[in-house]
């Protein structure tokens, strides 16, 4: 149901894969920027928080790719 609504809204699997790659890059950028301004523990938490988005976007990408193949 969610995958169909995303597909109908114009979201394609490539968009989800790009979001996952951007999440990984943003995680590295957030971590490196936070290490210079905050203590190491908080910087690690920011990097991990943003990095946890990537598997969700990869999962959505796979679901959308399967939906597109069957469509």
């Amino acid at each position: 149901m969610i995958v169909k609504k995303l597909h109908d809204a114009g979201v394609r699997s490539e968009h989800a894969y790009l979001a996952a790659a951007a999440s990984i890059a943003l995680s590295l950028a957030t971590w490196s920027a936070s290490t210079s301004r905050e203590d190491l523990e908080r910087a690690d938490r920011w990097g991990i928080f943003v990095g946890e988005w990537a598997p969700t976007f990869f999962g959505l990408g796979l679901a959308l790719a399967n939906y597109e193949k069957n469509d």
Side-chain angles (χ1 to χ4, degrees):
M1 181 171 165
I2 292 173
V3 174
K4 182 183 181 326
K5 288 189 183 224
L6 285 171
H7 187 267
D8 291 344
V11 179
R12 300 293 179 253
S13 60
E14 293 85 15
H15 300 141
Y17 293 141
L18 283 171
S23 171
I24 293 169
L26 184 62
S27 173
L28 290 170
T30 303
W31 175 78
S32 66
S34 294
T35 56
S36 63
R37 296 190 178 145
E38 301 179 21
D39 63 348
L40 186 60
E41 291 176 3
R42 189 167 181 165
D44 287 345
R45 281 188 229 125
W46 271 111
I48 291 170
F49 172 71
V50 176
E52 288 178 349
W53 301 344
T56 303
F57 289 131
F58 277 125
L60 281 173
L62 287 172
L64 285 164
N66 285 337
Y67 186 83
E68 292 164 3
K69 188 180 353 175
N70 294 333
D71 191 26

